[in-house]
Amino acid sequence: MARAVSQIVLGLSCRYCFGYPFSIFFIVINEFCERFSYYGMRAVLVLYFKYFLRWDDNFSTAIYHTFVALCYLTPILGALIADSWLGKFKTIVSLSIVYTVGQAVMAVSSINDLTDHNTDGTPDSIVTHVALSMTGLILIALGTGGIKPCVSAFGGDQFEDHQEKQRSRFFSIFYLAINAGSLLSTVITPILRAQQCGIHSKQQCYPLAFGVPAALMAVSLIVFMIGSGMYKKVQPQGNIMVQVCKCIGFAIKNRFRHRSKEYPKREHWLDWASEKYSKRLITQTRMVLKVLFLYIPLPMFWALFDQQGSRWTLQATTMDGNFGAIQIQPDQMQTVNPILIVIMVPVVDAVIYPLIRKCKINFTPLRKMTVGMFLAGLAFIAAALVQLQIDKTLPVFPAAGQSQIKIINLGADNARVTFVPQNFNVSVEPLQGVSKGRWRTSSHKTEWSKSKSFLTNGSKSILFYLFSSVHFKQFFLLWHKLLLKCTDSLLLFLMYHFNFQCSGNVAALNYSQDIPPNTVHMAWQIPQYFIMTCGEVVFSVTGLEFSYSQAPSNMKSVLQAGWLLTVAVGNIIVLIVAGASKLSQQWAEYVLFAALLFAVCIIFSVMAYFYTYIDPNEIEAQLDEEEKQAKKDPDVYEKEVEAVSQM
């Protein structure tokens, strides 16, 4: 007997630590590593598209937002698998394996030497890298989206009914783990990307930037499986989302069947499902649909918010990241958001909201969300103002179908060039007198293809005439490094003209500046990040709180899925608007998105004005009372059905 008691006590002491189930520590570590993996990979993704796969800004942005949208569509699939088939634990393990494989495929896809058979520093088959990248991203989207609705709920399952206080603190710790993983990864992975690595030629180290998140995802999976024996595993008992969808579908179908005038109208169209579904389910579904209706305008907020990782990151590539002793990478500017979140959430809760209450302003949740949408629009106005300043410093690039000509005379005497058949004469002085003309370069990497004296960059062409006894052999444009092949004299084109006069092993250098370096500082992006973060705090945090408070007790997961769906639709909106607008100026696109959000903000404020807040607990208590009454007196119950259905 004593031995049995001691074993029970030992088992309880192993299961609990400081009053918390010991199993939750594995879940928190799992979430930290998973968020590090996801946000770390996503931080460098748009630059990988642009500088490794060599896609233009618009296509890179489109694929980026397609990936993010997919990540927020798959949670519905994950919830269905977990609740209807495998259960939360097996779903997390299975999809985490898919997730890890996807991250590993992304790391492999970014290895430059994988297809660089001629060792010239560029992949010989970019199609192979694209195919691997898309495969990896699809697997990652299935993994991260599929486990998203499961991990937090699985953590909540570990607590007993009397541990409400501990469960509440767990979700706070869980949210902290998410932000800690996000913050650290967006600092570290851009640093890894900026390193030089490669077997035959040194390139920006995307394999390391993707490889570390892949390793963290593997660690996440291993840690989660180690705690398997300690978890409280709830068996799947059917998905409430499926029941809600079936109820709505039956109501629509039944109403269509009885659309003639001989059938009396019902108070609400969902009441047509009463022949098959319980009054409780119908009433709860009505409460959910009222909130989901308010969700319709919300995707526009996420359309602007998620451009921090695409358009704003690309904007940072044209800015100066020198912060004194620290050189900030363009993708590291995304860390401003999580840093400000950690600061702003307690400030808003402890200072801003109490001040508003003291001013006797009824700052309801829907009003807070309206203000958040308005602030996001202001953030894009700030981004447009910054873009206008950047555009003033950029050279004039040739438009599609146009060419620019630069003629450089390396000799000592003047030269004259005649263009035929136009018979256009140009007088060319030595190097210090260069005729006008620009070509596009990048602060990261520019790759040119050479065919005799005719150079092309995509559809834009530049023709060079070189005078004097110059052997124009080969040049490379690389980050922080020039690979020179020295002959009698060699001309290199970058942000400067470099004229190397070689004599043996000694080279004399003369240069003149052509394209000035980036001069607008990245610090000018901080105001737009600050305004956007303020909007996120009053919109996102409040939206989750509002959804939870207005949802029936057994349908909170339905509204969570609806909330995630608004994020997915928001990223799809970016694809539609950016593709349909055809705006040539980036600042104009920022203004367009801001104007769209302002218009949606007005619509949402009108919808919020007519919304009536409810207390789901009170309605459910009334339903419980009526069900008890129905067992005692069925006739009384039937008379009260109509009264409750009108709520």
Side-chain angles (χ1 to χ4, degrees):
M1 184 67 178
R3 176 177 296 180
V5 172
S6 64
Q7 288 178 347
I8 293 173
V9 172
L10 180 60
L12 289 174
S13 64
C14 292
R15 185 177 177 184
Y16 288 91
C17 181
F18 302 108
Y20 293 86
F22 192 72
S23 57
I24 68 166
F25 295 100
F26 295 95
I27 297 173
V28 169
I29 295 173
N30 164 270
E31 185 66 12
F32 169 82
C33 294
E34 189 275 327
R35 290 291 86 185
F36 186 107
S37 177
Y38 173 73
Y39 283 107
M41 178 276 304
R42 207 176 85 167
V44 301
L45 189 59
V46 73
L47 298 186
Y48 169 73
F49 290 156
K50 180 174 182 179
Y51 295 115
F52 188 90
L53 299 183
R54 288 174 277 180
W55 293 341
D56 61 28
D57 288 2
N58 290 332
F59 193 63
S60 298
T61 299
I63 299 300
Y64 174 88
H65 286 284
T66 301
F67 167 70
V68 176
L70 188 59
C71 289
Y72 284 93
L73 286 172
T74 50
I76 298 175
L77 177 63
L80 290 172
I81 293 174
D83 292 342
S84 304
W85 180 28
L86 294 179
K88 297 183 185 70
F89 175 78
K90 291 182 179 179
T91 301
I92 294 171
V93 172
S94 302
L95 293 180
S96 291
I97 294 173
V98 174
Y99 194 166
T100 305
V101 172
Q103 290 282 33
V105 171
M106 277 299 297
V108 172
S109 73
S110 62
I111 299 176
N112 184 76
D113 297 306
L114 185 67
T115 62
D116 185 16
H117 304 300
N118 59 4
T119 67
D120 64 349
T122 59
D124 296 335
S125 176
I126 199 68
V127 175
T128 301
H129 295 274
V130 171
L132 287 172
S133 299
M134 295 304 101
T135 302
L137 290 178
I138 291 172
L139 294 176
I140 291 171
L142 289 174
T144 187
I147 69 175
K148 193 183 293 292
C150 301
V151 179
S152 59
F154 186 70
D157 291 343
Q158 306 308 306
F159 295 87
E160 304 295 338
D161 292 339
H162 64 277
Q163 293 181 303
E164 287 295 331
K165 185 177 180 180
Q166 289 89 341
R167 183 186 285 113
S168 178
R169 288 180 178 174
F170 160 73
F171 285 116
S172 297
I173 297 171
F174 190 82
Y175 186 74
L176 179 63
I178 292 174
N179 283 277
S182 169
L183 177 59
L184 288 176
S185 63
T186 48
V187 171
I188 294 173
T189 52
I191 296 175
L192 300 177
R193 174 194 59 78
Q195 304 304 309
Q196 297 289 318
C197 65
I199 300 174
H200 304 299
S201 61
K202 300 301 179 182
Q203 307 285 335
Q204 290 190 15
C205 204
Y206 289 103
L208 186 59
F210 290 138
V212 170
L216 262 292
M217 192 57 224
V219 171
S220 172
L221 174 60
I222 293 171
V223 168
F224 184 76
M225 295 183 66
I226 288 175
S228 175
M230 305 179 190
Y231 296 139
K232 178 182 176 182
K233 302 170 185 175
V234 179
Q235 295 300 315
Q237 299 178 0
N239 196 307
I240 191 64
M241 285 192 295
V242 175
Q243 298 180 41
V244 170
C245 292
K246 287 182 177 179
C247 179
I248 294 172
F250 182 80
I252 295 173
K253 183 171 65 174
N254 199 32
R255 178 67 185 90
F256 182 78
R257 288 175 178 175
H258 303 86
R259 60 187 182 276
S260 63
K261 295 182 179 180
E262 62 182 279
Y263 297 100
K265 292 184 178 180
R266 303 191 182 183
E267 183 67 26
H268 191 274
W269 63 270
L270 267 177
D271 293 334
W272 287 97
S274 59
E275 285 85 350
K276 185 175 181 180
Y277 294 95
S278 67
K279 183 172 179 295
R280 174 181 290 271
L281 179 62
I282 294 172
T283 303
Q284 291 174 332
T285 303
R286 288 177 61 178
M287 289 189 284
V288 167
L289 289 180
K290 284 182 64 178
V291 179
L292 290 178
F293 177 72
L294 284 175
Y295 282 0
I296 294 176
L298 303 189
M300 199 65 222
F301 173 87
W302 299 113
L304 277 68
F305 179 82
D306 278 337
Q307 290 190 58
Q308 293 177 94
S310 57
R311 289 299 197 196
W312 286 13
T313 298
L314 293 172
Q315 183 186 62
T317 63
T318 60
M319 304 176 76
D320 180 14
N322 184 12
F323 283 78
I326 303 175
Q327 181 68 34
I328 299 295
Q329 300 297 323
D331 33 0
Q332 282 181 314
M333 283 301 293
Q334 298 175 52
T335 61
V336 175
N337 177 255
I339 291 173
L340 289 175
I341 280 287
V342 173
I343 297 172
M344 292 300 298
V345 169
V347 169
V348 170
D349 286 338
V351 180
I352 305 299
Y353 288 161
L355 286 176
I356 293 176
R357 284 193 293 269
K358 284 185 178 181
C359 295
K360 297 182 179 180
I361 298 176
N362 186 18
F363 203 31
T364 63
L366 293 179
R367 289 177 181 175
K368 293 177 184 177
M369 295 173 67
T370 304
V371 171
M373 297 171 75
F374 181 76
L375 289 174
L378 289 181
F380 262 60
I381 295 297
L385 295 175
V386 172
Q387 188 65 46
L388 284 171
Q389 296 303 313
I390 294 173
D391 291 345
K392 293 178 182 178
T393 67
L394 297 178
V396 179
F397 301 137
Q402 296 181 347
S403 298
Q404 291 183 350
I405 299 175
K406 177 174 288 293
I407 305 172
I408 301 175
N409 182 5
L410 298 181
D413 301 324
N414 290 352
R416 180 171 294 276
V417 181
T418 301
F419 294 87
V420 292
Q422 289 84 357
N423 195 28
F424 175 65
N425 294 315
V426 178
S427 178
V428 187
E429 298 179 354
L431 182 62
Q432 60 270 20
V434 180
S435 61
K436 67 176 182 178
R438 300 285 193 224
W439 62 89
R440 184 171 186 174
T441 63
S442 166
S443 60
H444 291 273
K445 182 181 178 182
T446 303
E447 294 181 348
W448 300 81
S449 60
K450 179 172 70 70
S451 175
K452 298 180 181 178
S453 61
F454 188 77
L455 306 182
T456 64
N457 179 14
S459 63
K460 303 172 185 178
S461 304
I462 303 133
L463 186 62
F464 294 88
Y465 283 84
L466 304 178
F467 292 88
S468 182
S469 57
V470 177
H471 180 53
F472 182 82
K473 187 174 183 181
Q474 185 176 2
F475 66 83
F476 298 88
L477 306 179
L478 298 174
W479 177 249
H480 286 320
K481 188 171 183 180
L482 298 176
L483 301 179
L484 307 179
K485 292 194 174 182
C486 193
T487 57
D488 292 337
S489 62
L490 175 67
L491 188 66
L492 289 165
F493 303 93
L494 192 59
M495 293 170 66
Y496 298 86
H497 303 308
F498 293 89
N499 182 17
F500 288 87
Q501 300 293 338
C502 299
S503 176
N505 293 327
V506 179
L509 171 64
N510 296 313
Y511 68 90
S512 62
Q513 187 179 37
D514 179 65
I515 298 179
N518 299 330
T519 56
V520 179
H521 203 275
M522 284 185 192
W524 285 107
Q525 279 195 321
I526 294 178
Q528 66 200 54
Y529 273 101
F530 174 77
I531 299 172
M532 180 63 79
T533 303
C534 292
E536 179 190 4
V537 170
V538 295
F539 177 87
S540 182
V541 177
T542 305
L544 290 172
E545 176 189 351
F546 168 78
S547 301
Y548 190 88
S549 67
Q550 298 295 292
S553 57
N554 64 333
M555 294 192 180
K556 299 188 187 297
S557 61
V558 177
L559 285 184
Q560 177 67 15
W563 180 265
L564 295 175
L565 188 62
T566 64
V567 182
V569 175
N571 283 271
I572 295 173
I573 289 175
V574 177
L575 304 179
I576 296 173
V577 174
S581 64
K582 302 297 182 182
L583 296 173
S584 59
Q585 300 294 327
Q586 185 57 54
W587 68 266
E589 184 179 289
Y590 287 146
V591 172
L592 173 61
F593 274 105
L596 290 174
L597 185 56
F598 288 147
V600 169
C601 186
I602 295 173
I603 296 172
F604 180 77
S605 63
V606 174
M607 295 169 63
Y609 178 78
F610 290 101
Y611 181 83
T612 302
Y613 291 86
I614 61 173
D615 185 353
N617 294 329
E618 182 180 335
I619 295 176
E620 289 179 335
Q622 188 171 351
L623 288 170
D624 292 337
E625 185 63 29
E626 290 182 359
E627 288 176 358
K628 292 179 182 179
Q629 185 66 32
K631 294 178 181 178
K632 297 179 181 179
D633 191 346
D635 294 333
V636 174
Y637 173 72
E638 291 296 332
K639 292 179 181 179
E640 294 181 350
V641 167
E642 184 178 354
V644 176
S645 64
Q646 293 177 1
M647 293 184 180

